[in-house]
PDB file of all heavy atoms in Angstrom:
ATOM      1  N   GLY A 131     125.740  89.981 -58.330  1.00 87.00           N
ATOM      2  CA  GLY A 131     125.329  89.078 -59.402  1.00 87.00           C
ATOM      3  C   GLY A 131     126.028  87.742 -59.347  1.00 87.00           C
ATOM      4  O   GLY A 131     126.134  87.037 -60.356  1.00 87.00           O
ATOM      5  N   ASN A 169     107.820  52.117 -48.195  1.00 38.00           N
ATOM      6  CA  ASN A 169     106.633  52.961 -48.135  1.00 38.00           C
ATOM      7  C   ASN A 169     105.391  52.259 -48.693  1.00 38.00           C
ATOM      8  O   ASN A 169     104.289  52.790 -48.582  1.00 38.00           O
ATOM      9  CB  ASN A 169     106.865  54.253 -48.910  1.00 38.00           C
ATOM     10  CG  ASN A 169     107.815  55.177 -48.181  1.00 38.00           C
ATOM     11  OD1 ASN A 169     107.900  55.127 -46.966  1.00 38.00           O
ATOM     12  ND2 ASN A 169     108.542  55.998 -48.923  1.00 38.00           N
ATOM     13  N   VAL A 273      93.837  55.936 -35.501  1.00 94.00           N
ATOM     14  CA  VAL A 273      94.318  57.138 -34.826  1.00 94.00           C
ATOM     15  C   VAL A 273      93.479  58.319 -35.289  1.00 94.00           C
ATOM     16  O   VAL A 273      93.258  58.513 -36.493  1.00 94.00           O
ATOM     17  CB  VAL A 273      95.809  57.375 -35.130  1.00 94.00           C
ATOM     18  CG1 VAL A 273      96.304  58.644 -34.433  1.00 94.00           C
ATOM     19  CG2 VAL A 273      96.631  56.174 -34.690  1.00 94.00           C
ATOM     20  N   MET A 387      53.318  -0.432 -18.682  1.00 75.00           N
ATOM     21  CA  MET A 387      53.947   0.407 -17.668  1.00 75.00           C
ATOM     22  C   MET A 387      54.375   1.725 -18.295  1.00 75.00           C
ATOM     23  O   MET A 387      53.695   2.724 -18.194  1.00 75.00           O
ATOM     24  CB  MET A 387      55.155  -0.320 -17.071  1.00 75.00           C
ATOM     25  CG  MET A 387      54.775  -1.494 -16.194  1.00 75.00           C
ATOM     26  SD  MET A 387      54.174  -0.947 -14.583  1.00 75.00           S
ATOM     27  CE  MET A 387      54.122  -2.511 -13.719  1.00 75.00           C
ATOM     28  N   ILE A 465      53.972  13.093  -4.210  1.00 75.00           N
ATOM     29  CA  ILE A 465      54.911  12.125  -4.762  1.00 75.00           C
ATOM     30  C   ILE A 465      55.960  12.856  -5.576  1.00 75.00           C
ATOM     31  O   ILE A 465      55.661  13.820  -6.278  1.00 75.00           O
ATOM     32  CB  ILE A 465      54.193  11.064  -5.645  1.00 75.00           C
ATOM     33  CG1 ILE A 465      55.202   9.999  -6.116  1.00 75.00           C
ATOM     34  CG2 ILE A 465      53.497  11.723  -6.833  1.00 75.00           C
ATOM     35  CD1 ILE A 465      54.556   8.839  -6.830  1.00 75.00           C
ATOM     36  N   GLY A 750      28.953 -27.220  13.271  1.00 52.00           N
ATOM     37  CA  GLY A 750      29.277 -26.719  11.930  1.00 52.00           C
ATOM     38  C   GLY A 750      30.236 -25.532  11.959  1.00 52.00           C
ATOM     39  O   GLY A 750      30.730 -25.116  13.001  1.00 52.00           O
ATOM     40  N   PRO A 886      26.239  -5.827 -19.698  1.00 42.00           N
ATOM     41  CA  PRO A 886      26.778  -6.604 -20.816  1.00 42.00           C
ATOM     42  C   PRO A 886      26.581  -5.876 -22.140  1.00 42.00           C
ATOM     43  O   PRO A 886      25.637  -5.122 -22.319  1.00 42.00           O
ATOM     44  CB  PRO A 886      25.977  -7.904 -20.749  1.00 42.00           C
ATOM     45  CG  PRO A 886      25.536  -8.000 -19.334  1.00 42.00           C
ATOM     46  CD  PRO A 886      25.312  -6.603 -18.871  1.00 42.00           C
TER      47      PRO A 886
END
Side-chain angles (χ1 to χ4, degrees):
N169 288 333
V273 179
M387 289 284 190
I465 184 173

